[in-house]
Amino acid sequence: MDGKQTNFRTDRGLFKREIHVEIACDKTGFEKVSTDSEFIDEISERADFILRINDTLLKGEGRYPTAEYTFLLRIDDLGSRVEGFIIHQGRDGEIDALDVKNLLKGALS
């Protein structure tokens, strides 16, 4: 999902939506998600992520950032099932935790 871009249209115009994902490391910060084998081997039964969604209005005269949504995700692997917790930072915006849940379900199916 990291780096994924989609376009959509509303009554305000054409928008580009970008998704960026970072994973917690060393209990002090976050780093870009990687798919190399060393990175994957270091992940335990629990992982914390930051999911950032940026919306940009695309117009003929330029690009205008319109919204940035930040979500904190905790994923727990419990063997026979996986639990996820989603927290939206801030209160503004069109996207909420339920939208992110549906986005994740779509990415995993």
Side-chain angles (χ1 to χ4, degrees):
M1 282 182 54
D2 185 47
K4 180 180 175 186
Q5 295 183 5
T6 59
N7 293 331
F8 63 96
R9 185 174 296 279
T10 69
D11 56 345
R12 296 187 318 164
L14 181 64
F15 287 83
K16 175 177 74 170
R17 178 165 286 161
E18 296 177 279
I19 299 174
H20 301 282
V21 181
E22 297 178 357
I23 188 166
C25 66
D26 301 327
K27 297 183 182 182
T28 59
F30 289 84
E31 66 182 33
K32 301 274 299 169
V33 172
S34 173
T35 57
D36 65 5
S37 60
E38 291 179 20
F39 178 82
I40 292 171
D41 291 340
E42 293 179 14
I43 298 175
S44 64
E45 291 82 23
R46 173 178 284 171
D48 295 322
F49 297 90
I50 286 184
L51 178 74
R52 288 190 175 88
I53 301 173
N54 299 317
D55 286 346
T56 304
L57 177 61
L58 305 174
K59 291 201 168 220
E61 60 270 8
R63 298 176 178 176
Y64 303 97
T66 57
E68 179 178 83
Y69 308 101
T70 303
F71 296 90
L72 303 173
L73 285 80
R74 170 166 281 172
I75 307 297
D76 290 321
D77 184 355
L78 303 174
S80 63
R81 69 182 200 282
V82 175
E83 287 185 351
F85 301 93
I86 304 170
I87 300 170
H88 182 204
Q89 284 190 328
R91 298 181 186 185
D92 297 334
E94 300 171 354
I95 300 175
D96 61 11
L98 183 58
D99 294 324
V100 172
K101 175 186 169 189
N102 293 331
L103 177 75
L104 293 173
K105 284 172 55 177
L108 297 174
S109 60

